[in-house]
């Protein structure tokens, strides 16, 4: 196969997957006008692309972990510790950023996310440039990268709550499963940017550019978002409508964080979703952040899966997100629990296969399948169930609570794997990497058992809102200018 075709093939696969998925999306009629749908697209599309670019500026470190070790900037354990600290801070930051998003609105906080992450990526680029020029001692480099990556993750944590907060008033519960699938596409594009383009940029232009280019793109989308995004249909000239989620019928003032948290934690289903998503955070990043290190150390770095890791994650995410969204809305009556159960069964099977075939070319394809499953779960629970059970009024806090535990799981796996995975010459033998899938196996079992416990869970409207769940959305434009 000629080089030009080899390089083009992943892009063709990506575009073909997107075209097939988009062309087959079914329509759910909840009464929206065509004008409303067009304006809603102009709201969520730049928002989604901004979130994809946040991934570009978040996973560029893990995508180039092996390169950073080769050029002497970070060892495997130093990278694992930096990633672990950043991931834990990301999770804890939701306790502050969720309530702030509910107070300030998702539009304001996505601008903060883009601007803050752009600045931190630019500063990481400066540190990298100075380190490679011999202007910083190794200890200072590690300290600076730890602080800047942690700050980047703080700003990044506004991203997830922002997209949920903005989209909650624009989408009825009956539409949100498919919405989760569509956003799975955009998030998967972010993984493609991070893992394929980031490595391509680092190899061709240097590590400094792998930080600077995402920073520049985020600044561009910050400007675009300021003009395009509105928090509610009412702010865009359309009638606000009953979304039939947990905020349905709640017309009172916004209550304080303590009261919102009390309401959230008084629901057994929230506790179970939190535990499931802790497992999801562990499994998602155990696959995404360590497979490339495994492939590089064990001689599989030139294989098809590792060379096209970003695009394969993207295609897997598209298929997993859309599969989850479609069966949620069209098979399980907009319930999210059955979808999580099905996908966790896939995660459990994929983990078992990875353990059995570890060291063969099948390993890469097994973890790609696991990525399909875990991205689908994450979209259903953090991206969709948080809207349902938090409601549009408290979507920020609900997403913060749920997604915070995702990244606590991420941080736990980073710190764990930095210590139990082989290093040096021992890392060259795939047999020494058995702790990698073995650690995932009990987490997948627990996640599956918990997912079956929320099989029938659906949001309940607030008191005083009889029939809200069956009420059709009224979204006719109020002004011609809209």
């Amino acid at each position: 196969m000629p080089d030009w075709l080899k390089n083009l093939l992943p892009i063709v696969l990506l575009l073909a997957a997107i075209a097939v998925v988009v062309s087959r999306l079914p329509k759910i009629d909840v009464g929206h006008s065509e004008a409303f749908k067009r304006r809603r697209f102009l709201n969520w599309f730049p928002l989604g692309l901004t979130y994809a670019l946040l991934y570009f500026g978040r996973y560029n470190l893990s995508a180039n972990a092996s390169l950073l070790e080769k050029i002497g900037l970070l060892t495997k354990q130093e990278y694992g510790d930096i990633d672990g600290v950043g991931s834990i801070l990301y999770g804890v930051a939701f306790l502050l950023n969720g309530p702030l998003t509910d107070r300030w609105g998702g539009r304001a906080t996505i601008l903060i996310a883009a601007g803050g992450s752009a600045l931190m990526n630019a500063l990481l680029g400066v540190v990298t440039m100075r380190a490679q020029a011999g202007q910083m001692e190794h200890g200072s480099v590690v300290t600076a990268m730890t602080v800047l990556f942690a700050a980047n993750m703080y700003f990044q944590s506004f991203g997830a709550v922002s997209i949920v907060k903005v989209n909650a008033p624009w989408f009825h519960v009956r539409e949100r499963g498919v919405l989760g699938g569509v956003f799975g596409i955009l998030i998967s594009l972010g993984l493609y940017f991070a893992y394929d383009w980031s490595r391509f940029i680092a190899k061709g232009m240097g590590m400094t550019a792998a930080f600077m280019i995402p920073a520049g793109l985020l600044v561009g989308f910050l400007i675009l978002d300021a003009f395009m995004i509105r928090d509610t249909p009412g702010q865009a000239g359309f009638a606000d409508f009953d979304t039939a989620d947990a905020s349905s019928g709640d017309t009172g003032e916004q209550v304080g964080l303590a009261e919102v948290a009390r309401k959230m934690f008084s629901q057994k289903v929230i506790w179970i979703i939190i535990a499931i998503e802790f497992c999801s955070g562990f499994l998602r990043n155990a696959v995404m952040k360590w497979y490339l290190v495994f492939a590089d150390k064990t001689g599989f770095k030139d294989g098809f899966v590792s060379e096209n890791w970003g695009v394969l994650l993207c295609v897997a995410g598209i298929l997993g997100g859309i599969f989850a969204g479609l069966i949620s809305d069209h098979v399980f009556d907009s319930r999210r629990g059955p979808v999580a159960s099905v996908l966790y069964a896939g995660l459990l099977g994929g983990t078992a296969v990875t353990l059995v075939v570890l060291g063969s070319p099948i390993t890469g394809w097994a973890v790609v399948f696991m990525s399909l499953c875990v991205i689908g779960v994450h979209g259903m629970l953090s991206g969709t169930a948080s809207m349902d059970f938090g409601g549009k009024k408290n979507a920020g806090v609900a997403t913060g609570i749920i997604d915070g535990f995702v990244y606590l799981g991420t941080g736990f796996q980073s710190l764990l794997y930095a210590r139990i995975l082989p290093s040096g010459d021992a890392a060259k033998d795939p047999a020494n990497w058995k702790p990698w899938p073995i650690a995932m196996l009990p987490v997948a079992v627990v996640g599956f058992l918990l997912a079956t416990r929320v099989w029938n869970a659906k949001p309940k409207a607030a008191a005083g809102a009889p029939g809200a769940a069956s009420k059709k959305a009224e979204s006719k434009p109020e002004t011609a200018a809209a």
Side-chain angles (χ1 to χ4, degrees), residues 304-425:
F304 182 82
V305 173
S306 57
E307 282 196 342
N308 301 286
W309 183 238
V311 74
L312 289 173
L313 284 183
C314 184
V315 172
I318 290 169
L319 297 177
I322 290 299
F323 170 76
L326 292 182
I327 66 172
S328 176
D329 281 350
H330 295 275
V331 178
F332 296 114
D333 192 29
S334 294
R335 285 177 291 143
R336 319 307 176 193
V339 182
S341 301
V342 170
L343 292 174
Y344 253 98
L347 278 168
L348 183 55
T351 304
V353 170
T354 301
L355 179 60
V356 172
V357 303
L358 192 65
S360 78
I362 301 174
T363 305
W365 294 105
V367 295
V368 166
F369 173 74
M370 290 177 66
S371 298
L372 180 154
C373 295
V374 78
I375 290 173
V377 171
H378 186 59
M380 279 297 95
L381 298 185
S382 288
T384 306
S386 57
M387 285 190 213
D388 296 346
F389 294 99
K392 62 183 180 181
K393 197 169 185 178
N394 302 312
V397 172
T399 306
I401 291 171
I402 294 171
D403 219 29
F405 278 84
V406 172
Y407 275 83
L408 289 178
T410 296
F412 176 70
Q413 68 80 28
S414 293
L415 296 174
L416 175 67
Y417 280 138
R419 286 157 177 78
I420 68 172
L421 293 181
S423 59
D425 290 338

Side-chain angles (χ1 to χ4, degrees), residues 120-432:
M120 293 306 113
N121 269 276
L123 292 175
L124 282 165
V126 171
V127 169
T128 303
M129 180 175 61
R130 292 191 62 201
Q132 290 185 288
Q135 297 174 355
M136 294 180 68
E137 295 181 356
H138 182 74
S140 298
V141 172
V142 174
T143 299
M145 285 196 158
T146 301
V147 172
L148 292 174
F149 185 72
N152 180 38
M153 294 298 278
Y154 170 77
F155 287 112
Q156 290 262 349
S157 71
F158 276 113
V161 290
S162 297
I163 62 171
V164 174
K165 182 65 177 178
V166 171
N167 284 320
W170 286 86
F171 287 85
H172 191 275
V173 163
R174 290 288 293 124
E175 302 173 286
R176 290 177 181 174
V178 174
L179 170 67
V182 171
F183 266 83
I185 294 176
L186 296 169
I187 291 169
S188 299
L189 283 172
L191 294 172
Y192 169 62
F193 294 149
Y195 281 103
D196 275 14
W197 282 100
S198 181
R199 288 188 297 162
F200 173 77
I201 291 167
K203 184 182 293 185
M205 303 171 66
M207 267 307 303
T208 299
F211 292 115
M212 291 296 190
I213 289 176
L217 290 171
L218 283 167
V219 170
F221 269 81
L222 183 155
I223 297 170
L224 177 64
D225 291 347
F227 284 100
M228 298 300 298
I229 295 174
R230 296 294 179 267
D231 283 313
T232 65
Q235 293 178 5
F238 290 80
D240 292 326
F241 61 95
D242 182 7
T243 54
D245 57 25
S247 290
S248 181
D250 184 357
T251 58
E253 294 295 323
Q254 180 72 44
V255 297
L257 171 60
E259 179 61 18
V260 174
R262 187 194 66 78
K263 289 182 178 179
M264 291 293 103
F265 287 118
S266 67
Q267 301 179 63
K268 182 179 178 181
V269 65
I270 292 292
W271 282 104
I272 297 175
I273 290 173
I274 282 171
I276 296 170
E277 283 296 80
F278 180 90
C279 297
S280 299
F282 185 103
L283 293 168
R284 184 175 74 159
N285 291 284
V287 169
M288 290 183 187
K289 293 185 176 182
W290 290 104
Y291 173 72
L292 288 180
V293 179
F294 165 81
D296 179 67
K297 298 295 185 182
T298 57
F300 289 95
K301 66 179 181 179
D302 296 325
F304 182 82
V305 173
S306 57
E307 282 196 342
N308 301 286
W309 183 238
V311 74
L312 289 173
L313 284 183
C314 184
V315 172
I318 290 169
L319 297 177
I322 290 299
F323 170 76
L326 292 182
I327 66 172
S328 176
D329 281 350
H330 295 275
V331 178
F332 296 114
D333 192 29
S334 294
R335 285 177 291 143
R336 319 307 176 193
V339 182
S341 301
V342 170
L343 292 174
Y344 253 98
L347 278 168
L348 183 55
T351 304
V353 170
T354 301
L355 179 60
V356 172
V357 303
L358 192 65
S360 78
I362 301 174
T363 305
W365 294 105
V367 295
V368 166
F369 173 74
M370 290 177 66
S371 298
L372 180 154
C373 295
V374 78
I375 290 173
V377 171
H378 186 59
M380 279 297 95
L381 298 185
S382 288
T384 306
S386 57
M387 285 190 213
D388 296 346
F389 294 99
K392 62 183 180 181
K393 197 169 185 178
N394 302 312
V397 172
T399 306
I401 291 171
I402 294 171
D403 219 29
F405 278 84
V406 172
Y407 275 83
L408 289 178
T410 296
F412 176 70
Q413 68 80 28
S414 293
L415 296 174
L416 175 67
Y417 280 138
R419 286 157 177 78
I420 68 172
L421 293 181
S423 59
D425 290 338
K428 296 178 182 179
D429 184 357
N432 293 330

Side-chain angles (χ1 to χ4, degrees), residues 51-65:
Y51 193 54
L53 291 173
L54 285 171
Y55 269 60
F56 194 11
R58 184 192 314 173
Y59 286 94
N60 48 357
L61 187 71
S62 61
N64 292 292

